[in-house]
Amino acid sequence: MLKTIARSAITVAAVAAVGLGVAASPAAAASTGTVWGARGQSDNNPGNGAQAWVWAYSGENDQARLTYQFYDNSTGQLNVWGKGQSASANLSKDVWRIQVCVPSAAQEGVSWNCTPWAY
């Protein structure tokens, strides 16, 4: 009887551990990038009915840009204007990678400081 209870407890613990691993997997679908306080994120499993979701936050910058690339190599952008502002968009295709950029005041004209591509 004691052996049966012990085996049952081990089985329940193993099933619970597997269940936690499965529940954590959607978070692994997200990509995040940060540059000069601006942030961006993509998620191919947002749980809101969309195929993918992207989000950008400007931080202390007057502007931020999130560039996203789909698996078919097409791209899109999400722009944020104003300090401390954010924007998001639902997308109809999975996002392959993202890049977060902020304008540089160090050079004349439009120059952007960007993160490496985040997958």
Side-chain angles (χ1 to χ4, degrees), residues 5 8 19 36-38 40 43 45 53 61 64 66 68 71-72 75 82 89 91-92 100 108 118:
I5 292 172
S8 296
W36 291 7
D43 190 340
N45 191 11
W53 170 85
N61 302 285
L66 173 74
Y68 49 91
Y71 285 94
D72 64 5
T75 60
L91 306 172
S92 60
V100 182
E108 212 172 288

Side-chain angles (χ1 to χ4, degrees), residues 7-23:
R7 276 190 230 136
S8 296
I10 290 170
T11 303
V12 168
V15 169
V18 169
L20 289 176
V22 171

Side-chain angles (χ1 to χ4, degrees), residues 3-118:
K3 276 186 175 181
T4 304
I5 292 172
R7 276 190 230 136
S8 296
I10 290 170
T11 303
V12 168
V15 169
V18 169
L20 289 176
V22 171
S25 62
S31 297
T32 304
T34 303
V35 61
W36 291 7
R39 293 189 301 258
Q41 185 174 16
S42 70
D43 190 340
N44 287 334
N45 191 11
N48 64 359
Q51 186 68 32
W53 170 85
V54 290
W55 169 81
Y57 170 70
S58 61
E60 288 299 312
N61 302 285
D62 290 324
Q63 183 180 356
R65 177 179 72 199
L66 173 74
T67 302
Y68 49 91
Q69 187 171 18
F70 298 109
Y71 285 94
D72 64 5
N73 288 322
S74 62
T75 60
Q77 288 185 346
L78 183 62
N79 293 293
V80 181
W81 302 92
K83 292 181 181 180
Q85 299 299 308
S86 66
S88 65
N90 292 315
L91 306 172
S92 60
K93 302 189 273 190
D94 281 346
V95 174
W96 173 33
R97 60 188 186 166
I98 63 169
Q99 187 177 49
V100 182
C101 303
V102 294
S104 172
Q107 297 178 355
E108 212 172 288
V110 178
S111 177
W112 293 86
N113 295 305
C114 300
T115 64
W117 286 100

